[in-house]
Amino acid sequence: MSVAERIELPVEGMTCSSCAGRIERKLNKLDGVTATVNYATEKAAVEYDAATVSPDDLLGAVQAAGYTARLPATAGDDDEPESRGEDVYLRDLRLRLTGAAVLSIPLLLISMIPLLQFEYWQWLALQLATPVVLWAAWPFHRATWQNLRHGAATMDTLISVGTLAAWGWSVVALFLLDAGGPGMEMPMELVLDRGAAASHIYLEAAGVVITLILAGRYFEARSKRTAGAALTALLEVGAKQVTRLDDDGDETRIPIGELRVGDRFVVRPGERVATDGLVEDGRSAVDQSLLTGESVPVEKGPGDQVVGATVNAGGRLVVRATKIGADTALAQIARLVEDAQTGKAPVQRLVDRISAVFVPIVIVLAVATLGFWIGDGSGTTFAFAAAVATLIIACPCALGLATPMALLVGTGRGAQIGILIKGPDVLESTRRIDTIVLDKTGTVTTGRMSVVDVVVAEGEERGLALRLVGAVESASEHPIAQAIAAAAQEDHGRLPEVEGFKNREGLGVEGIVDGSAVVVGRPQLLEEWGVSLSPDLQSALDEARSRGRTAIAAAWDGRARAIVVVADTVKPTSAEAIRRFRELGLRTVLLTGDNAQTARAIGDELGIDEVIADVLPAGKAGVVTRLQQEGHTVAMVGDGINDAPALAQADLGLAIGTGTDVAIEASDLTLVSGDLRAAADAIRLSRRTLRTIKINLFWAFAYNVVLIPVAMLGYLNPLFAGAAMAFSSVFVVSNSLRLRTFRAQGDPESAA
């Protein structure tokens, strides 16, 4: 039986999207291989049949295409960081750019300013230009030769052929100029006299074009590293050492790789939590901003979960490890982000097909331009200048970078603020949605019962009532009883002991606290004791029930004393989230299995447009389907296992990250925090990323469609063509980097 494996190979040597396309085609020719190559991230995401293909076969296929790839670094490869190759590349690029600039500036000045020209200045220009064209531009020439050996042409081919042609033409012109002394005319078949030769030397064009393109490549490479910085920071932020605690209480400092599931470890104030686990001892505030984007630390105590790489901002914690390595939340987040960045939007596949034939078409157009203008009688120099400008102006890089760069920056920024975009297809879905369906429990509400009101009879004290009722309820395991006990403990600390405790199934509880016989539960239980509710307590009970809340009665010493109201409380941020959904033009729908009375009360409180109640878990996906059949494009927000089918059915599924793994797996967007406002931010970020992609593509297509014909018509000097080409890629990269300024609404620095 075949085994499907997945691997990401860092690829070196790509210079434009046509390179990525050729590697992708080469890999996909292997049996059982499905590959996607991303020029922006410089990685090949490969799924392969391990029974027929090995990683070495994949590396060989990349090498056969004329490039190099390596296996991904493992956790133990600390001495060979992945960024080292990038550093070497950037240093080499910077060195060549510096050398080219130092030589090209005087070359440009002496060529363009007549006052600086002297006898035989052209020979000085040749000495300045030659190192630029042959040494500084060597990576372009080397890549062109390697590509030609494999029968391919790329962006480097256009640069190399164009600049070498300009340099070679100038050398020929200079030697002919020098050979024809005073009064000597050149043969007409060369179409070149002394004056023409002096006027049409393109040494400055060749040198400056190389400098501008190197500058564009350098800033592009720098920007690509900046774009991936969010994910890099996420991967590197985890603890490297951990203090393990053995059964005898002894502490040992060990590398994080030696920690195992079930081990206990210590987290001191200011330290990062080493890995995911459960707090066994201690209380502290934990800064989770790295994962959730929320700046306010969260209180943690025994029984609470903590996530690796978060920061202990308070006291000492003892944690038992529950997940390590690739299973941790941090690793899963990084994997989700990487998957999104290596995926391709539908529009990118069209761009890839265009890029695959772009360079050969440009070469044909340049040759046709040369032939046309020579045949037209415009002269060799004019024809040559137009052909060179056509080669240099064309820029498939802008096309290839338009989508992946925006996706790289957008998904990285999302990870920083707790929003995980699963893939590029998600972006198109966010643009079209008009209805957002919200699961109630755990999404709009906290999912936990809590005391929202205590109404006491005339003459009674609220504090005493909560203390006695909480003491009795603390002996019960019922969720409502635990909510009341927790509220009493918060107000009074340690509660008194309960004697003679009795659980009356379906009715309530009984017990003796501080010598008083206390009964808590339904009014029927009180009636068994011969106790009835006073009119004011009955009114409080009826009002609570009318609002969909749970209300229980309490009596002691033979008299009804209080009504305790318990409810699944609405999250403090839910109302703000609903308002933001409206601002995005979305119709809100509350979906719940609760009774209509409870659901409607919450819907009215939050201003939700439609409430659908009494829905069984299996019926949630059916509700989404019905809305879709009515013509709506539906987003679904949920957190539970029972929400997974609806999340998968929706046009856009958003999982609350505090929920279950099943819900997260079924969704398109994951919100690491439990804050519903993050759903609105996720939609805004996705739409802004999509808008950036469209701007990039418009620029890239418009640039090539407009300027290639202009160059062919002879209206573009090769020097300006080089500047425009370099600017084209830099524009796409810079426009994508603007996504780094996106901020969640409510952030005081919000700029989005």
Side-chain angles (χ1 to χ4, degrees):
M1 182 177 177
S2 63
V3 180
E5 298 281 353
R6 178 180 171 84
I7 193 172
E8 279 198 354
L9 303 174
V11 179
E12 297 175 0
M14 291 191 295
T15 56
C16 66
S17 59
S18 57
C19 301
R22 193 161 78 258
I23 297 170
E24 193 171 288
R25 289 191 296 275
K26 201 78 173 178
L27 286 168
N28 284 325
K29 285 181 181 178
L30 298 175
D31 290 336
V33 171
T34 303
T36 299
V37 181
N38 190 310
Y39 170 48
T41 60
E42 296 181 344
K43 289 184 178 180
V46 186
E47 290 186 3
Y48 64 98
D49 185 347
T52 58
V53 178
S54 71
D56 288 338
D57 295 329
L58 302 176
L59 298 181
V62 176
Q63 189 170 6
Y67 304 87
T68 58
R70 64 180 187 275
L71 295 176
T74 61
D77 295 337
D78 295 334
D79 57 340
E80 196 65 42
E82 192 169 306
S83 61
R84 182 169 296 179
E86 292 180 350
D87 292 336
V88 171
Y89 173 69
L90 278 173
R91 282 198 300 269
D92 180 70
L93 205 53
R94 184 168 58 245
L95 177 64
R96 293 179 188 275
L97 172 59
T98 302
V102 168
L103 295 172
S104 295
I105 291 172
L107 172 64
L108 180 64
L109 294 175
I110 199 173
S111 301
M112 303 299 290
I113 302 175
L115 288 175
L116 298 178
Q117 294 173 357
F118 50 88
E119 190 174 4
Y120 301 119
W121 65 266
Q122 299 95 334
W123 294 102
L124 176 60
L126 177 62
Q127 292 179 48
L128 292 170
T130 299
V132 178
V133 173
L134 299 183
W135 169 75
W138 174 245
F140 305 136
H141 307 321
R142 181 181 57 207
T144 298
W145 172 244
Q146 290 176 341
N147 289 325
L148 287 175
R149 287 173 54 203
H150 293 88
T154 66
M155 182 71 206
D156 290 315
T157 308
L158 301 181
I159 298 169
S160 180
V161 171
T163 54
L164 284 176
W167 179 82
W169 172 272
S170 301
V171 170
V172 171
L174 270 175
F175 277 99
L176 288 174
L177 174 63
D178 189 60
M184 184 175 178
E185 294 186 4
M186 296 296 98
M188 287 300 296
E189 61 268 20
L190 295 176
V191 200
L192 186 71
D193 59 25
R194 294 176 72 246
S199 304
H200 295 285
I201 291 174
Y202 292 109
L203 292 171
E204 82 283 355
V208 174
V209 162
I210 290 296
T211 304
L212 290 170
I213 293 172
L214 284 171
R217 286 274 173 95
Y218 178 72
F219 290 120
E220 178 187 316
R222 283 278 304 271
S223 299
K224 283 163 72 175
R225 289 191 64 183
T226 301
L231 181 58
T232 302
L234 200 63
L235 292 170
E236 293 179 350
V237 78
K240 303 297 186 291
Q241 298 280 322
V242 59
T243 303
R244 184 169 58 191
L245 191 67
D246 63 23
D247 294 337
D248 296 327
D250 295 329
E251 298 182 2
T252 308
R253 196 75 173 163
I254 61 171
I256 186 64
E258 296 181 13
L259 194 69
R260 297 291 177 262
V261 172
D263 286 351
R264 293 193 306 158
F265 61 93
V266 176
V267 188
R268 294 184 174 84
E271 289 185 341
R272 291 193 181 275
V273 178
T275 192
D276 297 2
L278 284 175
V279 177
E280 288 197 347
D281 185 43
R283 290 189 175 275
S284 179
V286 176
D287 181 355
Q288 301 183 146
S289 58
L290 170 75
L291 301 180
T292 66
E294 296 175 346
S295 58
V296 179
V298 179
E299 292 294 328
K300 299 289 184 179
D304 290 335
Q305 290 185 340
V306 289
V307 178
T310 54
V311 179
N312 179 12
R316 178 179 183 271
L317 294 175
V318 176
V319 181
R320 187 173 295 277
T322 56
K323 292 180 181 179
I324 59 172
D327 296 328
T328 63
L330 183 67
Q332 290 172 349
I333 288 172
R335 193 157 53 245
L336 279 173
V337 176
E338 283 186 326
D339 289 346
Q341 291 179 346
T342 55
K344 290 190 177 182
V347 68
Q348 180 63 22
R349 303 190 186 279
L350 171 63
V351 171
D352 288 346
R353 288 196 293 272
I354 295 172
S355 297
V357 297
F358 185 92
V359 174
I361 288 175
V362 170
I363 293 173
V364 169
L365 291 175
V367 172
T369 299
L370 181 67
F372 175 82
W373 288 119
I374 290 176
D376 185 62
S378 298
T380 308
T381 54
F382 180 83
F384 175 78
V388 170
T390 302
L391 286 172
I392 293 175
I393 194 67
C395 187
C397 295
L399 282 172
L401 287 170
T403 298
M405 274 302 296
L407 196 61
L408 178 67
V409 182
T411 53
R413 179 58 186 149
Q416 287 181 317
I417 59 175
I419 297 169
L420 306 181
I421 303 172
K422 262 198 177 175
D425 294 343
V426 173
L427 304 177
E428 189 64 29
S429 300
T430 61
R431 182 183 65 84
R432 295 181 290 110
I433 61 169
D434 56 42
T435 301
I436 185 162
V437 177
L438 309 168
D439 170 59
K440 182 183 78 69
T441 306
T443 301
V444 173
T445 66
T446 61
R448 299 185 303 273
M449 302 298 283
S450 59
V451 174
V452 295
D453 197 10
V454 178
V455 180
V456 295
E458 187 177 352
E460 300 294 338
E461 295 182 9
R462 180 188 182 281
L464 175 62
L466 186 57
R467 181 173 179 271
L468 293 176
V469 173
V472 178
E473 294 284 31
S474 66
S476 171
E477 296 297 326
H478 194 281
I480 293 176
Q482 289 300 302
I484 296 173
Q489 286 172 340
E490 186 174 341
D491 279 6
H492 300 283
R494 184 177 179 85
L495 299 175
E497 296 292 330
V498 183
E499 300 176 5
F501 174 80
K502 183 183 294 184
N503 182 18
R504 301 288 301 276
E505 193 68 35
L507 291 175
V509 292
E510 304 168 356
I512 298 174
V513 181
D514 290 342
S516 296
V518 182
V519 56
V520 182
R522 296 177 182 271
Q524 296 95 306
L525 180 60
L526 271 65
E527 289 173 2
E528 289 185 13
W529 284 64
V531 176
S532 59
L533 298 179
S534 62
D536 55 338
L537 292 181
Q538 184 64 53
S539 175
L541 182 74
D542 294 340
E543 182 185 354
R545 288 176 173 175
S546 69
R547 298 177 62 183
R549 294 173 170 177
T550 300
I552 61 171
W556 59 90
D557 295 336
R559 181 184 169 199
R561 312 274 184 165
I563 298 292
V564 181
V565 183
V566 180
D568 177 9
T569 54
V570 172
K571 291 179 180 178
T573 57
S574 291
E576 176 70 10
I578 301 302
R579 184 184 66 77
R580 293 183 187 178
F581 291 143
R582 284 215 186 88
E583 291 175 352
L584 291 168
L586 304 179
R587 174 171 167 266
T588 52
V589 178
L590 184 66
L591 183 62
T592 179
D594 274 357
N595 63 74
Q597 198 174 37
T598 300
R600 187 67 262 173
I602 292 174
D604 290 342
E605 179 182 347
L606 298 176
I608 292 174
D609 298 315
E610 182 181 356
V611 174
I612 303 175
D614 297 313
V615 179
L616 296 175
K620 290 186 176 181
V623 171
V624 173
T625 302
R626 176 175 62 78
L627 291 169
Q628 290 169 328
Q629 290 172 346
E630 292 173 0
H632 297 291
T633 305
V634 180
M636 170 75 191
V637 187
D639 72 323
I641 292 176
N642 58 355
D643 297 323
L647 288 168
Q649 175 62 39
D651 299 284
L652 178 70
L654 298 95
I656 297 290
T658 51
T660 66
D661 291 341
V662 176
I664 293 170
E665 187 64 30
S667 68
D668 302 305
L669 285 162
T670 299
L671 315 176
V672 180
S673 72
D675 191 338
L676 189 59
R677 292 177 300 181
D681 291 328
I683 294 171
R684 287 175 52 244
L685 175 60
S686 298
R687 288 181 175 180
R688 183 167 166 184
T689 304
L690 180 64
R691 187 165 66 249
T692 301
I693 289 173
K694 290 181 176 179
I695 292 171
N696 287 349
L697 286 172
F698 173 80
W699 165 262
F701 276 109
Y703 165 88
N704 286 290
V705 168
V706 172
L707 291 185
I708 289 177
V710 170
M712 293 174 66
L713 290 171
Y715 292 129
L716 201 60
N717 184 293
L719 190 149
F720 296 116
M725 192 278 284
F727 173 74
S728 181
S729 293
V730 172
F731 171 83
V732 166
V733 173
S734 301
N735 188 51
S736 299
L737 286 174
R738 291 171 60 239
L739 286 168
R740 296 174 66 207
T741 66
F742 178 91
R743 297 189 183 277
Q745 282 186 335
D747 189 316
E749 301 180 29
S750 178

